[in-house]
Amino acid sequence: DSLTTLYSALYAKQNFATYTVKGKPAGLYKNAGRFSYLRVFGAGHEVPAYLWRGVPRGAAALQMFNQIMSDNPLSST
């Protein structure tokens, strides 16, 4: 919230949404323009290694990576 970007005002107005991987909750996220933020449940500093309640190990990291590398905003699946 303390970053100053072109999208800061829009980002501040938004609420977090649940980030799901194949319908299973994996975290919380926001998108504002080209700025995205994702908080992955239980991940700490090792998002690819985390395992969370029905989400296979690495699935949230792979989904996030594919969305970002495809130049798409984060979205649930």
Side-chain angles (χ1 to χ4, degrees), residues 8-63:
S8 294
L10 176 60
Y11 179 85
K13 292 178 187 175
Q14 294 181 354
N15 293 318
F16 280 99
T18 302
Y19 189 72
T20 61
V21 176
K22 296 185 181 176
K24 302 286 186 186
L28 300 172
Y29 76 106
K30 285 187 190 184
N31 291 309
R34 295 186 54 80
F35 181 76
S36 296
Y37 176 84
L38 174 62
R39 181 184 315 153
V40 179
F41 297 146
H45 296 289
E46 295 292 333
V47 174
Y50 100 107
L51 181 64
W52 186 262
R53 300 181 183 155
V55 178
R57 190 174 311 279
L62 180 60
Q63 179 174 294

